[in-house]
Amino acid sequence: MSAASPETGYNFAYLDEGTKRMIRRAILKAIAIPGYQVPFASREMPMPYGWGTGGVQVTAAILGRADVLKVIDQGSDDTTNAVSIRAFFARTADVAVTTRTREATVIQTRHRIPEAPLHEGQVLVYQVPIPEPLRFLEPRETETRQLHALAEYGLMHVKLYEDIARHGHIATTYAYPVEVAGRYVMDPSPTPKFDNPKMDDSPALQLFGAGREKRIYAVPPYTRVRSLDFEDHPFRVQRFDRPCALCGAEGVYLDEVLLDDAGERMFVCSDTDHCEERRAEGHVGEEAAHA
Amino acid sequence: MYVAVKGGEAAIANAHRLLARTRRGDVDVPELAVAQIREQMALLVDRVMTEGSLHDPDLAALALKQSRGDLIEAVFLVRAYRTTLPRFGASEPVETGAMTLHRRISATYKDLPGGQVLGPTFDYTHRLIDFALAAEGEAPVAAESEPLPDAAHAPRVTDLLGNDGLIEPSAPDDGTPPGDLTREPLDFPADRALRLQALARGDEGFVLALGYSTQRGYGRTHPFVGEIRVGSVAVEFVPEELGFPVPLGEVALTECQMVNQFHGSAEVPPQFTRGYGLAFGQSERKAMAMALVDRALRAEELGEPVGAPAQDQEFVLAHCDALQATGFVEHLKLPHYVDFQAELELVRRLRAEHAARRAAPETEMKEAAE
């Protein structure tokens, strides 16, 4: 039993250097083959599988002492799991942490891409629950790997087509499949499809870590990321028919917040940093006006 | 007036303080010592060690104390600790044939060299609550025991069968080091060593249910308990600088050799086949269930029809780990409101379109009537 406290008893950013090297190799391979899922020897982390262990391992493997880390969950820096992961790295790596998208060099995220455009040199690390975009069409890993190898994506197109035939729309609202660099079909993680266009041609490096499923994949900077669609049913993102009630932002993703049990609700920015920044700049939404 | 949620950090810290306080329970009741858990909850400790893949009774007992007795949480603590430990090598294979036996039974032979040794077992106890245990009393006195069989005189049942060629031989050791799914990503098809590793770490309840399903016809294997042996074996290690094995200590193990009927195929004569189970401490249920599932997973190799869940290695290996399962099930507690918002928008739109479609035919009919 180790008597050392977690702060002193572990290596920088928790993982031992051998493990980091193994993860970095997987990351390099992933960058070399955009959208391809690279198996890696995912470790057992001190937080549960399904709670971001893949993203945490990727972040731990790339983090340097000079990095500035931001962690968001559902677009917010203050959701409990984001707080917990940020605290983990503040404790084990003692790196600077921030909530400002612009200032961060590494941003770990669950379910959102920040509204502020990312810039060169930034790395966006996604937490991924099920990395296989074909998993719910074909449960066997041996089969899906073969389908990717053959670029046989007919199943996915049939699924999307059947949505249109049944509902008149493609009924996938998040984890909407994309094609990366004209080759691999990739799961963007359960981000709303609203965020898909931000992945395309992004100056930032995008890394995806799935701990339980032991896969890492990547979208290098300035890579074409196309959401799957049909000529007569082009890809469309969600639109909100009102601006953020706090900062008045339009064209951003909003959370619906219930205010009482009489159906009273308001819509506010899901990206809390974006919202705060706008309010600091003097933008005012209709609810904030009479607060 | 709504303000964006803040203060998660303080809430988490407070929740953890509350947890620590709740864990201790009523302070008028004496605190549990780790040694008490290790000695008196020994089977639970064994299970934590088995599923935690780490032989350390004190650490397992401490994990149980910290986890308030939540078994999977204790396994989690042990595993997360194990993953940080440096690996300085692998031991020599342990020789279960040379086990110091505490218990040894065979269901295939009435008597056999070394005899049947019941040892400490719940078997044949009447499950009546012993209210006398509620009053703390003196330690019970063990029964007088016959001298336990010397390992040399209690050969493995499968070795006895093997002498007559009635059972398939164990695959010879070709020197390939077995894989380690805690160090390499699992790749399908997984070989038997990897499958056994996954089953040994697997959740006892899940493996038990799968083993049970084979008995009810979902991948029947016609099993007999050739032998269950419980005892301790020496662990030896060859340090590079010495070049010969030195003993590191002893570990307690339960080994189950399941003997299964097999009608033979074009190449192989009819003979019995093996299912194998191994667990730390006294974990007979786990070892038996593991042996059943091990044999079921060999269906393809033995040319048997494959179709039942217990025969499907992708299904079994991808879902037998309690930590992976609990993590992903419990992650549903995390906020999902961004995705839920996306679904809300879609359902509202589909409902509006549905309502419009229902309204439309009526208008058409009205027009036709007019």
Side-chain angles (χ1 to χ4, degrees):
Chain A
M1 272 183 279
S2 168
S5 71
E7 290 87 344
T8 58
Y10 294 96
N11 192 32
F12 176 77
Y14 180 76
L15 294 175
D16 60 278
E17 293 302 315
T19 298
K20 286 187 193 171
R21 193 177 312 128
M22 175 272 294
I23 295 172
R24 287 177 197 142
R25 282 195 188 122
I27 292 172
L28 288 174
K29 182 169 178 179
I31 293 169
I33 317 172
Y36 171 76
Q37 300 165 54
V38 181
F40 82 112
S42 175
R43 295 293 190 253
E44 264 147 343
M45 300 299 286
M47 58 270 284
Y49 283 120
W51 296 52
T53 56
V56 167
Q57 287 179 79
V58 169
T59 298
I62 63 171
L63 215 54
R65 293 192 191 274
D67 273 313
V68 181
L69 178 69
K70 171 182 166 80
V71 183
I72 51 172
D73 186 336
Q74 315 291 301
S76 165
D77 300 273
D78 291 296
T79 38
T80 42
N81 206 41
V83 168
S84 167
I85 290 171
R86 191 168 54 238
F88 175 74
F89 282 114
R91 201 166 141 183
T92 58
D94 194 26
V95 292
V97 293
T98 182
T99 59
R100 310 291 294 268
T101 301
R102 256 171 266 282
E103 291 167 7
T105 56
V106 176
I107 303 169
Q108 181 168 328
T109 180
R110 176 169 170 265
H111 292 196
R112 274 311 310 276
I113 298 175
E115 303 289 1
L118 300 180
H119 55 75
E120 274 186 21
Q122 285 183 310
V123 185
L124 187 58
V125 178
Y126 296 76
Q127 299 169 204
V128 181
I130 304 272
E132 179 49 71
L134 306 171
R135 179 59 68 239
F136 300 111
L137 306 171
E138 169 52 64
R140 275 172 205 287
E141 180 68 10
T142 40
E143 287 292 322
T144 52
R145 284 188 80 79
Q146 201 160 36
L147 292 173
H148 283 291
L150 300 169
E152 175 50 68
Y153 295 123
L155 268 182
M156 183 61 88
H157 285 103
V158 169
K159 191 259 170 202
L160 297 177
Y161 169 76
E162 282 180 350
D163 273 3
I164 294 169
R166 287 187 58 201
H167 309 294
H169 308 277
I170 291 174
T172 302
T173 56
Y174 59 91
Y176 189 102
V178 294
E179 179 200 81
V180 181
R183 176 57 177 86
Y184 284 97
V185 165
M186 185 188 93
D187 184 320
S189 87
T191 48
K193 66 179 179 177
F194 179 89
D195 285 337
N196 276 20
K198 295 178 192 156
M199 305 180 77
D200 182 32
D201 204 35
S202 169
L205 170 63
Q206 301 174 75
L207 300 176
F208 300 77
R212 195 176 37 77
E213 300 279 342
K214 302 176 171 55
R215 296 289 183 273
I216 284 173
Y217 51 101
V219 175
Y222 302 112
T223 301
R224 178 92 175 97
V225 177
R226 185 180 70 81
S227 300
L228 299 186
D229 62 355
F230 298 100
E231 277 172 21
D232 51 346
H233 278 87
F235 174 77
R236 275 200 203 97
V237 299
Q238 290 100 338
R239 294 183 51 172
F240 294 85
D241 55 9
R242 68 198 88 186
C244 169
L246 295 181
C247 77
E250 293 187 39
V252 296
Y253 199 78
L254 301 179
D255 287 336
E256 181 173 337
V257 181
L258 300 180
L259 296 176
D260 56 26
D261 57 2
E264 195 62 28
R265 63 198 68 204
M266 67 188 285
F267 287 77
V268 295
C269 280
S270 140
D271 184 337
T272 49
D273 169 63
H274 185 70
C275 196
E276 278 162 24
E277 204 164 289
R278 280 180 53 85
R279 279 180 283 155
E281 287 164 6
H283 296 279
V284 175
E286 59 177 36
E287 290 290 329
H290 44 79
Chain B
M1 164 60 206
Y2 168 84
V3 282
V5 184
K6 281 274 182 195
E9 209 151 353
I12 291 174
N14 286 337
H16 292 171
R17 294 224 317 265
L18 184 58
L19 170 69
R21 177 66 194 84
T22 312
R23 185 197 62 69
R24 176 59 182 86
D26 184 348
V27 288
D28 291 335
V29 177
E31 186 177 355
L32 260 180
V34 170
Q36 288 176 316
I37 299 173
R38 186 193 65 219
E39 295 302 315
Q40 297 174 45
M41 293 284 143
L43 299 186
L44 195 54
V45 168
D46 290 344
R47 185 167 170 189
V48 171
M49 293 196 299
T50 298
E51 294 179 26
S53 296
L54 185 71
H55 188 277
D56 188 333
D58 287 304
L59 194 74
L62 176 58
L64 279 163
K65 178 175 176 175
Q66 186 181 333
S67 71
R68 306 178 67 200
D70 183 324
L71 177 90
I72 295 180
E73 189 65 32
V75 170
F76 191 175
L77 290 167
V78 167
R79 290 242 199 122
Y81 177 73
R82 177 193 192 271
T83 192
T84 66
L85 299 177
R87 310 291 170 96
F88 60 85
S91 76
E92 294 293 286
V94 294
E95 177 51 86
T96 53
M99 183 182 270
T100 308
L101 294 169
H102 304 313
R103 169 166 162 81
R104 187 274 195 120
I105 53 163
S106 169
T108 52
Y109 293 104
K110 185 173 180 184
D111 200 6
L112 68 167
Q116 309 262 14
V117 181
L118 283 184
T121 178
F122 290 119
D123 297 350
Y124 319 111
T125 60
H126 297 144
R127 270 62 170 201
L128 304 170
I129 295 268
D130 181 358
F131 292 100
L133 279 180
E136 289 153 41
E138 301 206 342
V141 183
E144 287 285 317
S145 94
E146 299 276 321
L148 292 170
D150 181 356
H153 299 111
R156 278 184 294 231
V157 168
T158 43
D159 293 346
L160 298 172
L161 276 168
N163 291 342
D164 298 333
L166 289 171
I167 193 165
E168 58 170 348
S170 284
D173 183 0
D174 61 0
T176 321
D180 181 352
L181 51 81
T182 67
R183 296 275 129 173
E184 297 292 329
L186 184 59
D187 198 12
F188 296 112
D191 66 16
R192 192 172 173 207
L194 272 180
R195 300 198 303 255
L196 287 170
Q197 186 190 7
L199 292 174
R201 291 159 59 83
D203 180 65
E204 182 173 303
F206 182 79
V207 178
L208 176 69
L210 279 175
Y212 174 48
S213 74
T214 68
Q215 290 182 287
R216 291 195 63 264
Y218 289 86
R220 195 166 174 215
T221 62
H222 309 273
F224 299 94
V225 170
E227 184 175 10
I228 292 171
R229 49 173 64 204
V230 182
S232 353
V233 295
V235 179
E236 295 188 322
F237 180 73
V238 181
E240 248 177 69
E241 61 273 31
L242 289 184
F244 56 84
V246 292
L248 292 183
E250 289 199 329
V251 295
L253 291 176
T254 300
E255 181 186 58
C256 173
Q257 296 259 12
M258 212 57 97
V259 173
N260 306 74
Q261 195 190 95
F262 180 57
H263 292 298
S265 64
E267 295 82 36
V268 187
Q271 60 182 342
F272 292 106
T273 53
R274 297 162 188 258
Y276 188 75
L278 188 73
F280 282 136
Q282 186 168 1
S283 307
E284 291 173 38
R285 187 187 301 120
K286 175 63 180 286
M288 292 177 74
M290 177 177 167
L292 288 174
V293 178
D294 169 48
R295 177 59 185 78
L297 287 173
R298 297 182 59 208
E300 198 174 344
E301 163 205 343
L302 294 167
E304 296 168 337
V306 176
Q311 297 171 319
D312 182 335
Q313 60 159 284
E314 282 209 37
F315 180 79
V316 174
L317 301 191
H319 300 118
C320 68
D321 191 89
L323 244 53
Q324 292 177 8
T326 203
F328 202 44
V329 166
E330 293 199 46
H331 107 283
L332 294 172
K333 290 185 281 192
L334 293 179
H336 281 78
Y337 41 76
V338 163
D339 292 344
F340 188 68
Q341 189 64 48
E343 292 286 85
L344 266 181
E345 193 260 352
L346 177 70
V347 172
R348 280 179 181 142
R349 187 147 42 96
L350 291 177
R351 283 173 62 86
E353 287 168 4
H354 184 257
R357 270 200 307 278
R358 284 181 63 115
E362 269 175 45
T363 357
E364 270 167 36
M365 271 168 66
K366 229 185 262 174
E367 278 167 11
E370 276 166 3

